[in-house]
Amino acid sequence: MMKKFLLLLFVSATALAQTPTVKYKLGMPQPWTHLLEVEVSYAGLPRSAETFDLLLPVWRSGRYVIFDFAGDVQEFSSQNGSGSALAWEKTDKTTWRVQKGSSTTVVANYKVYANEINQRTKEMDDQGAFVDGSAVFMYADKYRNVPLTLEVKPYGDWHVTTGLENAKGSKNTFTSPTYDYFIDCPLFVGNQLDINFDAGGKPHVLSIMGEGNCDTGKMVRDITKLVEANKKFWGSLPYERYVFMLQVSSQHGGGTEHINSTAMGTRPWGFVNPNSYNGFLGLVSHEYFHTWNVKQIRPKGISPYDWTKENYTKELWVAEGTTSYYTSRMMIRAGLSTSSRYIDQLPGQIQGDRQKPGNSIQSTAESSFDAWIKYWKGKEQSYNAEADYYDRGSDLSLFLDLEIRHRSKNKASLDEVMKAMYNRFPWNGSGYTVDDFRKICDEFAGSSLKQFFDDHVYGTKPLEWEKVFLYSGLEAKPRDEQRAWFGAAVRGDQPRIRNLAAGSPAYHAGLDIGDEIIAMNGYRISANDFTTRIGEMKAGDVVKITVMRSDKLREFSVTLVNNPVPGYTVTKISDPSSLQKAIYESWTMTTWDGEKRNGR
Ligand SMILES: [Zn+2]
């Protein structure tokens, strides 16, 4: 017993002696050059190790694609504690090996060219900087779990906004318990407007970089409602302070979730128009729901993150798709959207699912796994060959929700599944698999959903929308009128063919993605007019399309057919059972007669 104690004492003393002091410095003396200046130092390293490897991640969390950030590193140099140069060499695309010899300190300096607009990685100009640490800060793998500090030297009168905690008494020095936490707290450095507010009993910041027609008072009120609705749903807020980072410019859009912040981008003049403002709140709702679903509840394949290569996971349809499903549900709970608005978009959801050829080719699990080489590569064939794990994952979440409500006689729903996931899969655990998720669904449904997962997660069997909607007393029916089908989206100021649907008339007639539309039936036409005119035609009509392909003028005849996937209506049945009615009311958060109520 005593011996063991002494041994433990010895081991922990050795571990302490070998825990280096890790410090980062970030400078930006000429921001218009896009060059960030970085210093990283490790002091207190063991004398014995001859070499010391510094790595830069090849990807960032939330975007499952290889970026190879090392490609923007320049002017790397390394020194020991007294400033004498240490030799170094690259050993692979993202590893710098320093010959430290017997030195106990390694200091590395380098610059990073930061001009990846709207990738939410690294960007800086004379208006300010956005820094996701994975794109900028190197690390030593062995010491990823060692606490560290970051000292920022902002340019001019700029200031720093981040989810990192300030070091005591210092405005521009921050601390982090680990490297992974550090790079999960992006930074704004600039003249961003910071609005501090309390929500759900904790401090929050809305930080806006850029200018537009923002009504910040309204934004804060609405974001507060989302925070409170999520707190009520999950039971608690898993952070001490949270930062909503917003880049406002015509070059920015979309968002990325982080451990205690989110980085979002939106157009400057979309804050007044109700539809585009609703889109902005949808972005906030989506990113904020991720605070739990993917930042706390993590798929096994990304637990912990491996920064050196692809992190394969079949669960992105839960991480992203289920988050997409809850985006509007949390807005309804927060009083920022209505159930009727949600129900109104259901017909489009059925049609979108059935019209997309990729849904019958790639399974949802496969779409998640191959995100690295397909989804995030934005391939032109993706509409025909891929199931989008966001959209399809959202569809599957809706199905699971209604299936669980139906099987449990409305005693449980996907809400209980997500809360159980949050309790059983803490962020620092080993993560969950599709099977883990299914077992919790089984538990709340009261019977096995294995067949559903085999058919629709691992398989590509078509979704039976009519069947699940009926669980809630809703009837999905094809519209009576037939609609003519061309089969390609035409977009752009100089209209071009996009999303050419496999099997469609345009596809069979020989049109190709990228064809530039010169004329329809001999007349010049805009993208909008093209779509409108096709909508006014009927099956059997022949459309002559003149296109420029490469350098050659070509003409094609496209004979329209009736769209094999009709439009739908979704309406309430006239004589619901008490279970159908109960499911409808709890699922849509209204009464059967249409009044708002608190959903479960
Ligand atoms: Zn997302």
Side-chain angles (χ1 to χ4, degrees), residues 219-371:
M219 287 160 79
V220 165
R221 282 195 298 279
D222 290 344
I223 292 174
T224 299
K225 289 178 191 168
L226 277 171
V227 171
E228 281 163 359
N230 273 276
K231 185 184 175 186
K232 196 170 166 198
F233 180 88
W234 295 102
S236 62
L237 302 178
Y239 52 79
E240 292 310 313
R241 174 176 164 269
Y242 191 95
V243 184
F244 294 91
M245 305 169 78
L246 180 62
Q247 278 172 293
V248 177
S249 92
S250 58
Q251 290 178 294
H252 290 90
T256 298
E257 64 281 3
H258 289 283
I259 189 89
N260 63 359
S261 62
T262 170
M264 301 176 291
T266 193
R267 308 289 181 258
W269 311 113
F271 295 94
V272 172
N273 176 288
N275 274 336
S276 53
Y277 183 67
N278 194 268
F280 162 70
L281 289 179
L283 174 65
V284 180
S285 178
H286 179 102
E287 300 309 331
Y288 189 64
F289 193 81
H290 271 312
T291 310
W292 291 266
N293 192 26
V294 91
K295 295 316 306 191
Q296 295 289 322
I297 311 166
R298 297 188 187 194
K300 194 180 183 71
I302 56 169
S303 301
Y305 299 121
D306 181 341
W307 299 118
T308 64
K309 57 176 193 284
E310 293 84 351
N311 290 205
Y312 294 108
T313 160
K314 292 180 181 160
E315 292 80 23
L316 292 184
W317 66 275
V318 181
E320 286 299 345
T322 305
T323 299
S324 292
Y325 176 60
Y326 275 98
T327 296
S328 48
R329 296 188 65 73
M330 294 315 292
M331 285 174 71
I332 297 170
R333 282 172 175 270
L336 299 172
S337 187
T338 60
S339 301
S340 59
R341 192 179 178 124
Y342 179 69
I343 292 167
D344 286 350
Q345 56 82 46
L346 293 174
Q349 203 173 339
I350 308 176
Q351 204 195 7
D353 165 51
R354 291 190 168 157
Q355 190 90 65
K356 190 176 178 193
N359 284 342
S360 61
I361 287 187
Q362 188 191 45
S363 76
T364 320
E366 204 185 337
S367 163
S368 302
F369 192 86
D370 274 344

Side-chain angles (χ1 to χ4, degrees), residues 339-344 346-347 350 466 468-477 568-577 579-597:
S339 301
S340 59
R341 192 179 178 124
Y342 179 69
I343 292 167
D344 286 350
L346 293 174
I350 308 176
E466 290 82 354
V468 295
F469 279 151
L470 214 47
Y471 292 159
S472 69
L474 286 175
E475 189 173 32
K477 279 196 305 195
Y568 290 88
T569 59
V570 176
T571 51
K572 279 183 264 189
I573 59 172
S574 52
D575 53 347
S577 68
L579 179 60
Q580 284 172 316
K581 208 168 155 181
I583 290 177
Y584 178 90
E585 294 192 336
S586 64
W587 177 55
T588 63
M589 299 174 251
T590 54
T591 61
W592 181 258
D593 303 319
E595 281 160 41
K596 187 178 183 324
R597 50 172 270 165

